[in-house]
PDB file of all heavy atoms in Angstrom:
ATOM      1  N   ARG I  75     -45.795  30.408 -12.535  1.00 92.00           N
ATOM      2  CA  ARG I  75     -45.209  29.826 -11.342  1.00 92.00           C
ATOM      3  C   ARG I  75     -45.755  30.492 -10.077  1.00 92.00           C
ATOM      4  O   ARG I  75     -46.061  29.816  -9.119  1.00 92.00           O
ATOM      5  CB  ARG I  75     -43.700  29.990 -11.430  1.00 92.00           C
ATOM      6  CG  ARG I  75     -42.973  29.045 -10.484  1.00 92.00           C
ATOM      7  CD  ARG I  75     -41.515  28.936 -10.811  1.00 92.00           C
ATOM      8  NE  ARG I  75     -40.919  27.921  -9.965  1.00 92.00           N
ATOM      9  CZ  ARG I  75     -39.647  27.590 -10.020  1.00 92.00           C
ATOM     10  NH1 ARG I  75     -38.849  28.177 -10.877  1.00 92.00           N
ATOM     11  NH2 ARG I  75     -39.158  26.671  -9.240  1.00 92.00           N
ATOM     12  N   ARG I  76     -45.888  31.833 -10.149  1.00 94.00           N
ATOM     13  CA  ARG I  76     -46.377  32.554  -8.975  1.00 94.00           C
ATOM     14  C   ARG I  76     -47.826  32.185  -8.676  1.00 94.00           C
ATOM     15  O   ARG I  76     -48.172  31.937  -7.539  1.00 94.00           O
ATOM     16  CB  ARG I  76     -46.244  34.054  -9.231  1.00 94.00           C
ATOM     17  CG  ARG I  76     -46.818  34.938  -8.144  1.00 94.00           C
ATOM     18  CD  ARG I  76     -46.447  36.438  -8.360  1.00 94.00           C
ATOM     19  NE  ARG I  76     -46.851  36.922  -9.680  1.00 94.00           N
ATOM     20  CZ  ARG I  76     -48.099  37.356  -9.966  1.00 94.00           C
ATOM     21  NH1 ARG I  76     -49.054  37.306  -9.066  1.00 94.00           N
ATOM     22  NH2 ARG I  76     -48.388  37.795 -11.151  1.00 94.00           N
ATOM     23  N   LEU I  77     -48.674  32.163  -9.707  1.00 95.00           N
ATOM     24  CA  LEU I  77     -50.071  31.865  -9.510  1.00 95.00           C
ATOM     25  C   LEU I  77     -50.285  30.413  -9.014  1.00 95.00           C
ATOM     26  O   LEU I  77     -51.113  30.115  -8.164  1.00 95.00           O
ATOM     27  CB  LEU I  77     -50.875  32.106 -10.790  1.00 95.00           C
ATOM     28  CG  LEU I  77     -51.020  33.569 -11.206  1.00 95.00           C
ATOM     29  CD1 LEU I  77     -51.732  33.689 -12.544  1.00 95.00           C
ATOM     30  CD2 LEU I  77     -51.758  34.396 -10.159  1.00 95.00           C
ATOM     31  N   LEU I  78     -49.500  29.490  -9.599  1.00 95.00           N
ATOM     32  CA  LEU I  78     -49.689  28.089  -9.253  1.00 95.00           C
ATOM     33  C   LEU I  78     -49.181  27.712  -7.866  1.00 95.00           C
ATOM     34  O   LEU I  78     -49.454  26.628  -7.364  1.00 95.00           O
ATOM     35  CB  LEU I  78     -49.055  27.201 -10.341  1.00 95.00           C
ATOM     36  CG  LEU I  78     -49.821  27.200 -11.676  1.00 95.00           C
ATOM     37  CD1 LEU I  78     -49.054  26.438 -12.752  1.00 95.00           C
ATOM     38  CD2 LEU I  78     -51.201  26.606 -11.525  1.00 95.00           C
ATOM     39  N   ARG I  79     -48.406  28.633  -7.275  1.00 93.00           N
ATOM     40  CA  ARG I  79     -48.021  28.412  -5.893  1.00 93.00           C
ATOM     41  C   ARG I  79     -49.235  28.361  -4.983  1.00 93.00           C
ATOM     42  O   ARG I  79     -49.182  27.792  -3.890  1.00 93.00           O
ATOM     43  CB  ARG I  79     -47.141  29.573  -5.386  1.00 93.00           C
ATOM     44  CG  ARG I  79     -45.701  29.428  -5.784  1.00 93.00           C
ATOM     45  CD  ARG I  79     -44.906  30.644  -5.401  1.00 93.00           C
ATOM     46  NE  ARG I  79     -43.495  30.319  -5.493  1.00 93.00           N
ATOM     47  CZ  ARG I  79     -42.711  30.182  -4.434  1.00 93.00           C
ATOM     48  NH1 ARG I  79     -43.161  30.356  -3.230  1.00 93.00           N
ATOM     49  NH2 ARG I  79     -41.435  29.867  -4.611  1.00 93.00           N
ATOM     50  N   ARG I  80     -50.317  28.948  -5.432  1.00 95.00           N
ATOM     51  CA  ARG I  80     -51.558  29.004  -4.621  1.00 95.00           C
ATOM     52  C   ARG I  80     -52.511  27.903  -4.960  1.00 95.00           C
ATOM     53  O   ARG I  80     -53.648  27.861  -4.472  1.00 95.00           O
ATOM     54  CB  ARG I  80     -52.235  30.379  -4.806  1.00 95.00           C
ATOM     55  CG  ARG I  80     -51.342  31.531  -4.320  1.00 95.00           C
ATOM     56  CD  ARG I  80     -51.848  32.859  -4.818  1.00 95.00           C
ATOM     57  NE  ARG I  80     -53.132  33.236  -4.200  1.00 95.00           N
ATOM     58  CZ  ARG I  80     -53.795  34.384  -4.504  1.00 95.00           C
ATOM     59  NH1 ARG I  80     -53.338  35.162  -5.452  1.00 95.00           N
ATOM     60  NH2 ARG I  80     -54.927  34.624  -3.866  1.00 95.00           N
ATOM     61  N   ALA I  81     -52.085  27.000  -5.874  1.00 96.00           N
ATOM     62  CA  ALA I  81     -52.955  25.914  -6.281  1.00 96.00           C
ATOM     63  C   ALA I  81     -52.307  24.563  -6.012  1.00 96.00           C
ATOM     64  O   ALA I  81     -51.094  24.400  -6.009  1.00 96.00           O
ATOM     65  CB  ALA I  81     -53.243  26.031  -7.782  1.00 96.00           C
ATOM     66  N   GLY I  82     -53.144  23.541  -5.746  1.00 95.00           N
ATOM     67  CA  GLY I  82     -52.637  22.183  -5.593  1.00 95.00           C
ATOM     68  C   GLY I  82     -53.215  21.342  -6.744  1.00 95.00           C
ATOM     69  O   GLY I  82     -54.326  21.555  -7.170  1.00 95.00           O
ATOM     70  N   PHE I  83     -52.399  20.403  -7.248  1.00 96.00           N
ATOM     71  CA  PHE I  83     -52.793  19.615  -8.416  1.00 96.00           C
ATOM     72  C   PHE I  83     -52.536  18.144  -8.130  1.00 96.00           C
ATOM     73  O   PHE I  83     -51.442  17.780  -7.706  1.00 96.00           O
ATOM     74  CB  PHE I  83     -52.003  20.083  -9.632  1.00 96.00           C
ATOM     75  CG  PHE I  83     -52.287  19.322 -10.891  1.00 96.00           C
ATOM     76  CD1 PHE I  83     -53.394  19.618 -11.648  1.00 96.00           C
ATOM     77  CD2 PHE I  83     -51.442  18.313 -11.318  1.00 96.00           C
ATOM     78  CE1 PHE I  83     -53.633  18.928 -12.847  1.00 96.00           C
ATOM     79  CE2 PHE I  83     -51.672  17.630 -12.490  1.00 96.00           C
ATOM     80  CZ  PHE I  83     -52.776  17.918 -13.250  1.00 96.00           C
ATOM     81  N   LEU I  84     -53.522  17.328  -8.350  1.00 94.00           N
ATOM     82  CA  LEU I  84     -53.332  15.878  -8.255  1.00 94.00           C
ATOM     83  C   LEU I  84     -53.510  15.280  -9.639  1.00 94.00           C
ATOM     84  O   LEU I  84     -54.631  15.285 -10.167  1.00 94.00           O
ATOM     85  CB  LEU I  84     -54.305  15.255  -7.259  1.00 94.00           C
ATOM     86  CG  LEU I  84     -54.207  13.729  -7.098  1.00 94.00           C
ATOM     87  CD1 LEU I  84     -52.896  13.330  -6.443  1.00 94.00           C
ATOM     88  CD2 LEU I  84     -55.331  13.146  -6.306  1.00 94.00           C
ATOM     89  N   ASN I  85     -52.437  14.790 -10.169  1.00 90.00           N
ATOM     90  CA  ASN I  85     -52.451  14.179 -11.532  1.00 90.00           C
ATOM     91  C   ASN I  85     -53.161  12.819 -11.457  1.00 90.00           C
ATOM     92  O   ASN I  85     -53.218  12.207 -10.419  1.00 90.00           O
ATOM     93  CB  ASN I  85     -50.982  14.026 -11.974  1.00 90.00           C
ATOM     94  CG  ASN I  85     -50.856  13.584 -13.398  1.00 90.00           C
ATOM     95  OD1 ASN I  85     -51.804  13.822 -14.165  1.00 90.00           O
ATOM     96  ND2 ASN I  85     -49.740  13.001 -13.767  1.00 90.00           N
ATOM     97  N   GLN I  86     -53.657  12.421 -12.617  1.00 85.00           N
ATOM     98  CA  GLN I  86     -54.270  11.102 -12.731  1.00 85.00           C
ATOM     99  C   GLN I  86     -53.281  10.041 -12.284  1.00 85.00           C
ATOM    100  O   GLN I  86     -52.041  10.243 -12.452  1.00 85.00           O
ATOM    101  CB  GLN I  86     -54.615  10.860 -14.168  1.00 85.00           C
ATOM    102  CG  GLN I  86     -55.825  10.037 -14.384  1.00 85.00           C
ATOM    103  CD  GLN I  86     -56.317  10.056 -15.829  1.00 85.00           C
ATOM    104  OE1 GLN I  86     -55.518  10.274 -16.723  1.00 85.00           O
ATOM    105  NE2 GLN I  86     -57.555   9.862 -16.058  1.00 85.00           N
ATOM    106  N   LYS I  87     -53.742   8.964 -11.720  1.00 72.00           N
ATOM    107  CA  LYS I  87     -52.864   7.906 -11.185  1.00 72.00           C
ATOM    108  C   LYS I  87     -51.847   7.483 -12.290  1.00 72.00           C
ATOM    109  O   LYS I  87     -52.230   7.235 -13.428  1.00 72.00           O
ATOM    110  CB  LYS I  87     -53.715   6.724 -10.759  1.00 72.00           C
ATOM    111  CG  LYS I  87     -52.996   5.698  -9.965  1.00 72.00           C
ATOM    112  CD  LYS I  87     -54.010   4.678  -9.470  1.00 72.00           C
ATOM    113  CE  LYS I  87     -53.262   3.494  -8.867  1.00 72.00           C
ATOM    114  NZ  LYS I  87     -52.725   2.586  -9.896  1.00 72.00           N
ATOM    115  N   GLN I  88     -50.578   7.382 -11.864  1.00 69.00           N
ATOM    116  CA  GLN I  88     -49.547   7.016 -12.841  1.00 69.00           C
ATOM    117  C   GLN I  88     -49.611   5.531 -13.197  1.00 69.00           C
ATOM    118  O   GLN I  88     -49.856   4.680 -12.346  1.00 69.00           O
ATOM    119  CB  GLN I  88     -48.176   7.304 -12.257  1.00 69.00           C
ATOM    120  CG  GLN I  88     -47.868   8.787 -12.161  1.00 69.00           C
ATOM    121  CD  GLN I  88     -46.685   9.026 -11.257  1.00 69.00           C
ATOM    122  OE1 GLN I  88     -46.804   8.942 -10.030  1.00 69.00           O
ATOM    123  NE2 GLN I  88     -45.560   9.320 -11.821  1.00 69.00           N
ATOM    124  N   GLU I  89     -49.391   5.283 -14.494  1.00 64.00           N
ATOM    125  CA  GLU I  89     -49.405   3.892 -14.969  1.00 64.00           C
ATOM    126  C   GLU I  89     -48.158   3.164 -14.525  1.00 64.00           C
ATOM    127  O   GLU I  89     -48.208   2.030 -14.075  1.00 64.00           O
ATOM    128  CB  GLU I  89     -49.549   3.869 -16.483  1.00 64.00           C
ATOM    129  CG  GLU I  89     -50.890   4.371 -16.998  1.00 64.00           C
ATOM    130  CD  GLU I  89     -52.076   3.578 -16.513  1.00 64.00           C
ATOM    131  OE1 GLU I  89     -51.924   2.386 -16.364  1.00 64.00           O
ATOM    132  OE2 GLU I  89     -53.107   4.203 -16.211  1.00 64.00           O
ATOM    133  N   THR I  90     -47.004   3.818 -14.706  1.00 69.00           N
ATOM    134  CA  THR I  90     -45.744   3.146 -14.328  1.00 69.00           C
ATOM    135  C   THR I  90     -45.284   3.663 -12.966  1.00 69.00           C
ATOM    136  O   THR I  90     -45.062   4.833 -12.800  1.00 69.00           O
ATOM    137  CB  THR I  90     -44.637   3.446 -15.354  1.00 69.00           C
ATOM    138  OG1 THR I  90     -44.749   4.844 -15.700  1.00 69.00           O
ATOM    139  CG2 THR I  90     -44.706   2.627 -16.563  1.00 69.00           C
ATOM    140  N   PRO I  91     -45.226   2.769 -11.986  1.00 72.00           N
ATOM    141  CA  PRO I  91     -44.866   3.209 -10.656  1.00 72.00           C
ATOM    142  C   PRO I  91     -43.403   3.687 -10.613  1.00 72.00           C
ATOM    143  O   PRO I  91     -42.536   3.194 -11.337  1.00 72.00           O
ATOM    144  CB  PRO I  91     -45.038   1.934  -9.809  1.00 72.00           C
ATOM    145  CG  PRO I  91     -44.980   0.809 -10.770  1.00 72.00           C
ATOM    146  CD  PRO I  91     -45.414   1.338 -12.089  1.00 72.00           C
ATOM    147  N   SER I  92     -43.189   4.679  -9.752  1.00 76.00           N
ATOM    148  CA  SER I  92     -41.845   5.242  -9.606  1.00 76.00           C
ATOM    149  C   SER I  92     -40.936   4.219  -8.876  1.00 76.00           C
ATOM    150  O   SER I  92     -41.383   3.495  -8.050  1.00 76.00           O
ATOM    151  CB  SER I  92     -41.925   6.536  -8.843  1.00 76.00           C
ATOM    152  OG  SER I  92     -40.663   6.897  -8.353  1.00 76.00           O
ATOM    153  N   THR I  93     -39.664   4.258  -9.218  1.00 84.00           N
ATOM    154  CA  THR I  93     -38.686   3.399  -8.539  1.00 84.00           C
ATOM    155  C   THR I  93     -37.821   4.176  -7.600  1.00 84.00           C
ATOM    156  O   THR I  93     -36.889   3.643  -7.006  1.00 84.00           O
ATOM    157  CB  THR I  93     -37.786   2.679  -9.562  1.00 84.00           C
ATOM    158  OG1 THR I  93     -37.165   3.711 -10.375  1.00 84.00           O
ATOM    159  CG2 THR I  93     -38.567   1.747 -10.441  1.00 84.00           C
ATOM    160  N   LEU I  94     -38.102   5.468  -7.436  1.00 90.00           N
ATOM    161  CA  LEU I  94     -37.244   6.278  -6.566  1.00 90.00           C
ATOM    162  C   LEU I  94     -37.312   5.884  -5.092  1.00 90.00           C
ATOM    163  O   LEU I  94     -38.463   5.700  -4.590  1.00 90.00           O
ATOM    164  CB  LEU I  94     -37.637   7.772  -6.646  1.00 90.00           C
ATOM    165  CG  LEU I  94     -37.509   8.528  -7.975  1.00 90.00           C
ATOM    166  CD1 LEU I  94     -37.559   9.982  -7.760  1.00 90.00           C
ATOM    167  CD2 LEU I  94     -36.280   8.130  -8.721  1.00 90.00           C
ATOM    168  N   PRO I  95     -36.197   5.730  -4.433  1.00 91.00           N
ATOM    169  CA  PRO I  95     -36.230   5.392  -3.022  1.00 91.00           C
ATOM    170  C   PRO I  95     -36.563   6.645  -2.202  1.00 91.00           C
ATOM    171  O   PRO I  95     -35.701   7.494  -1.948  1.00 91.00           O
ATOM    172  CB  PRO I  95     -34.819   4.891  -2.724  1.00 91.00           C
ATOM    173  CG  PRO I  95     -33.995   5.317  -3.847  1.00 91.00           C
ATOM    174  CD  PRO I  95     -34.817   5.883  -4.942  1.00 91.00           C
ATOM    175  N   LEU I  96     -37.824   6.795  -1.813  1.00 92.00           N
ATOM    176  CA  LEU I  96     -38.292   7.983  -1.097  1.00 92.00           C
ATOM    177  C   LEU I  96     -39.208   7.530   0.014  1.00 92.00           C
ATOM    178  O   LEU I  96     -39.951   6.577  -0.137  1.00 92.00           O
ATOM    179  CB  LEU I  96     -39.122   8.864  -2.024  1.00 92.00           C
ATOM    180  CG  LEU I  96     -38.457   9.661  -3.136  1.00 92.00           C
ATOM    181  CD1 LEU I  96     -39.531  10.095  -4.109  1.00 92.00           C
ATOM    182  CD2 LEU I  96     -37.784  10.832  -2.526  1.00 92.00           C
ATOM    183  N   SER I  97     -39.253   8.306   1.110  1.00 92.00           N
ATOM    184  CA  SER I  97     -40.261   8.072   2.112  1.00 92.00           C
ATOM    185  C   SER I  97     -41.515   8.847   1.717  1.00 92.00           C
ATOM    186  O   SER I  97     -41.470   9.754   0.879  1.00 92.00           O
ATOM    187  CB  SER I  97     -39.752   8.559   3.474  1.00 92.00           C
ATOM    188  OG  SER I  97     -39.720   9.966   3.474  1.00 92.00           O
ATOM    189  N   ALA I  98     -42.654   8.446   2.275  1.00 94.00           N
ATOM    190  CA  ALA I  98     -43.907   9.150   1.976  1.00 94.00           C
ATOM    191  C   ALA I  98     -43.777  10.625   2.338  1.00 94.00           C
ATOM    192  O   ALA I  98     -44.303  11.469   1.635  1.00 94.00           O
ATOM    193  CB  ALA I  98     -45.061   8.490   2.741  1.00 94.00           C
ATOM    194  N   ARG I  99     -43.086  10.936   3.452  1.00 93.00           N
ATOM    195  CA  ARG I  99     -42.898  12.317   3.833  1.00 93.00           C
ATOM    196  C   ARG I  99     -42.142  13.126   2.771  1.00 93.00           C
ATOM    197  O   ARG I  99     -42.469  14.270   2.483  1.00 93.00           O
ATOM    198  CB  ARG I  99     -42.192  12.439   5.195  1.00 93.00           C
ATOM    199  CG  ARG I  99     -42.079  13.864   5.703  1.00 93.00           C
ATOM    200  CD  ARG I  99     -41.290  14.043   6.972  1.00 93.00           C
ATOM    201  NE  ARG I  99     -42.047  13.629   8.131  1.00 93.00           N
ATOM    202  CZ  ARG I  99     -41.880  12.497   8.817  1.00 93.00           C
ATOM    203  NH1 ARG I  99     -40.946  11.656   8.417  1.00 93.00           N
ATOM    204  NH2 ARG I  99     -42.590  12.216   9.857  1.00 93.00           N
ATOM    205  N   ASP I 100     -41.116  12.472   2.188  1.00 93.00           N
ATOM    206  CA  ASP I 100     -40.351  13.119   1.105  1.00 93.00           C
ATOM    207  C   ASP I 100     -41.272  13.515  -0.014  1.00 93.00           C
ATOM    208  O   ASP I 100     -41.139  14.588  -0.610  1.00 93.00           O
ATOM    209  CB  ASP I 100     -39.252  12.193   0.540  1.00 93.00           C
ATOM    210  CG  ASP I 100     -38.101  11.962   1.521  1.00 93.00           C
ATOM    211  OD1 ASP I 100     -37.887  12.817   2.380  1.00 93.00           O
ATOM    212  OD2 ASP I 100     -37.463  10.898   1.440  1.00 93.00           O
ATOM    213  N   VAL I 101     -42.180  12.600  -0.363  1.00 94.00           N
ATOM    214  CA  VAL I 101     -43.104  12.856  -1.487  1.00 94.00           C
ATOM    215  C   VAL I 101     -43.997  14.082  -1.139  1.00 94.00           C
ATOM    216  O   VAL I 101     -44.180  14.941  -1.949  1.00 94.00           O
ATOM    217  CB  VAL I 101     -43.961  11.622  -1.774  1.00 94.00           C
ATOM    218  CG1 VAL I 101     -45.021  11.919  -2.829  1.00 94.00           C
ATOM    219  CG2 VAL I 101     -43.071  10.455  -2.256  1.00 94.00           C
ATOM    220  N   VAL I 102     -44.503  14.082   0.098  1.00 95.00           N
ATOM    221  CA  VAL I 102     -45.416  15.191   0.483  1.00 95.00           C
ATOM    222  C   VAL I 102     -44.627  16.503   0.490  1.00 95.00           C
ATOM    223  O   VAL I 102     -45.152  17.552   0.039  1.00 95.00           O
ATOM    224  CB  VAL I 102     -46.031  14.894   1.878  1.00 95.00           C
ATOM    225  CG1 VAL I 102     -46.902  16.067   2.324  1.00 95.00           C
ATOM    226  CG2 VAL I 102     -46.814  13.616   1.834  1.00 95.00           C
ATOM    227  N   MET I 103     -43.390  16.463   0.936  1.00 95.00           N
ATOM    228  CA  MET I 103     -42.575  17.697   0.980  1.00 95.00           C
ATOM    229  C   MET I 103     -42.379  18.300  -0.415  1.00 95.00           C
ATOM    230  O   MET I 103     -42.160  19.497  -0.565  1.00 95.00           O
ATOM    231  CB  MET I 103     -41.237  17.422   1.661  1.00 95.00           C
ATOM    232  CG  MET I 103     -41.334  17.392   3.169  1.00 95.00           C
ATOM    233  SD  MET I 103     -39.773  17.065   3.923  1.00 95.00           S
ATOM    234  CE  MET I 103     -38.879  18.565   3.556  1.00 95.00           C
TER     235      MET I 103
END
Side-chain angles (χ1 to χ4, degrees):
Chain I
R75 197 164 186 181
R76 175 171 56 82
L77 291 176
L78 289 173
R79 276 175 166 252
R80 298 166 68 183
F83 177 82
L84 178 68
N85 189 22
Q86 214 168 26
K87 193 172 168 285
Q88 287 164 286
E89 292 301 323
T90 41
S92 163
T93 55
L94 297 197
L96 288 165
S97 70
R99 184 184 284 104
D100 290 335
V101 174
V102 178
M103 281 179 68

